[in-house]
Amino acid sequence: MIGVFDSGFGGLTVLRALVDALPDRQFVYLGDHRAATYGNRSRDEIYDLARHAMEELFGLDCRLIVVACNTVAATSLRRLQREWLPACHPDRRILGVLVPMVEAITGVPWMADLPTRPIAGRKQTIAVFATRQTVLSNAFPVEIGKRAPEVTVVQQACPKLASLIEAGAAPADMAVLVRRYVEAMMDQLQGHAPDVVMLGCTHYPLVADLFSAALPRGIEILSQPTLVARSLTAYLAHHPEFDDCGDVRPPLFFTSGEPDIVSRLGSQFFGRPVIFRTIGQTRTPAIRESIAI
Ligand code: DGL
């Protein structure tokens, strides 16, 4: 089973792409809706929350987890992979959503030798919209800069957007906010439009139409869910140890929040009816049996 984790609803955008790309895999989704959103929390808090969520998913027998949250990937993933995993779960793996984005933008595989000089003729400007902690981490500019120093990266924090999406706010209210963030990004570029926009928070594809409407026409918006799905497909082809045995069923959905509310909004965001269960309840044998984990 493959776990997919996000602070809340955002990871559903990634899960949707994963299920479409890998229909023969069993996925389990966990949204930490009780603690959402993560983007304005401290790095230590984000690390602790993420580690706890990883434990929950490993407890459901996931051997591989995709952290479908840029905030966790940018602030905590390296620490989870290098310190916690080898010490506590050496046979399990955690992947993030940052690597596929950086590889797609730079055209340089993550583990490749880094280029020693800029590629002549390629001078792109990329605008990254993300949470406050993702922006503060500088993960995108640093990792892109190592591989493609000729690319200019402009970051724009959108500190209120994920919370409004989590709350199911009216599109008109969110449109005002998105326009403000786009204007702030354009100010940073002194009115010059970027070549490419990256929605560096998995919540934002849920309001991609608002970004399209607010941005100057003709700017490419990279699809993180599609890129993550492509990358996981390639990873699994090289890692048969994560092959599933047994029947594949529709994804299972868990939340640390209020399941009825989360199921209603989650169905809307996922695009088909889904039923979330409370994560803690799976620890009781009766519930584990009823959902056949
Ligand atoms: N969806 C998450 C991300 O990709 C986090 C949003 C939040 O919890 O603030 O960054």
Side-chain angles (χ1 to χ4, degrees):
M1 274 202 301
I2 301 173
V4 178
F5 166 66
D6 183 56
S7 61
F9 292 118
L12 292 174
T13 61
V14 174
L15 180 68
R16 215 159 45 186
L18 295 181
V19 170
D20 288 348
L22 295 158
D24 54 346
R25 297 288 176 157
Q26 180 68 56
F27 291 100
V28 181
Y29 186 84
L30 172 59
D32 191 6
H33 295 90
R34 190 162 45 115
T37 53
Y38 282 11
N40 298 325
R41 291 180 178 277
S42 73
R43 283 176 82 106
D44 282 346
E45 265 183 307
I46 295 168
Y47 176 81
D48 287 343
L49 289 166
R51 202 191 43 187
H52 184 70
M54 300 298 100
E55 287 286 14
E56 298 278 20
L57 282 169
F58 287 152
L60 295 174
D61 293 339
C62 294
R63 287 177 299 132
L64 176 66
I65 297 173
V66 177
V67 171
C69 175
N70 293 270
T71 308
V72 171
T75 60
S76 311
L77 188 57
R78 201 162 281 176
R79 198 170 150 203
L80 288 169
Q81 287 170 329
R82 290 192 183 166
E83 296 173 20
W84 179 69
L85 214 50
C88 300
H89 300 280
D91 58 330
R92 317 272 171 125
R93 289 292 172 269
I94 308 174
L95 306 175
V97 285
L98 218 118
V99 172
M101 290 301 266
V102 171
E103 288 183 331
I105 288 163
T106 62
V108 179
W110 192 256
M111 302 305 269
D113 291 338
L114 297 180
T116 47
R117 69 175 94 101
I119 297 176
R122 186 174 67 171
K123 265 191 157 219
Q124 269 194 327
T125 299
I126 308 226
V128 180
F129 292 92
T131 66
R132 178 179 283 148
Q133 277 294 0
T134 299
V135 168
L136 284 176
S137 77
N138 268 327
F140 280 114
V142 167
E143 297 300 340
I144 292 169
K146 276 189 217 164
R147 294 164 178 83
E150 67 281 6
V151 172
T152 303
V153 182
V154 176
Q155 301 190 93
Q156 179 59 50
C158 310
K160 293 189 182 152
L161 189 52
S163 313
L164 284 189
I165 296 169
E166 279 293 306
D173 294 339
M174 293 192 281
V176 175
L177 202 58
V178 169
R179 272 201 299 274
R180 211 178 299 152
Y181 294 138
V182 167
E183 274 164 26
M185 179 276 293
M186 293 295 288
D187 284 350
Q188 290 192 61
L189 287 172
Q190 289 156 351
H192 296 292
D195 301 295
V196 178
V197 158
M198 188 170 109
L199 302 182
C201 167
T202 52
H203 279 70
Y204 303 168
L206 294 167
V207 291
D209 54 331
L210 303 182
F211 277 96
S212 299
L215 284 161
R217 295 183 108 185
I219 297 178
E220 184 191 0
I221 301 182
L222 288 181
S223 168
Q224 188 171 39
T226 309
L227 294 170
V228 173
R230 205 177 293 157
S231 171
L232 182 64
T233 305
Y235 179 87
L236 290 173
H238 291 99
H239 290 274
E241 68 273 26
F242 295 119
D243 282 357
D244 280 322
C245 36
D247 292 342
V248 174
R249 293 175 298 148
L252 301 165
F253 294 87
F254 293 97
T255 176
S256 60
E258 170 49 55
D260 290 344
I261 299 171
V262 171
S263 298
R264 189 168 46 77
L265 270 174
S267 302
Q268 199 178 305
F269 292 140
F270 194 58
R272 57 191 92 141
V274 293
I275 295 175
F276 277 83
R277 296 181 170 87
T278 306
I279 185 69
Q281 285 178 4
T282 57
R283 294 199 196 97
T284 67
I287 299 233
R288 284 179 73 86
E289 205 166 290
S290 78
I291 54 180
I293 284 178

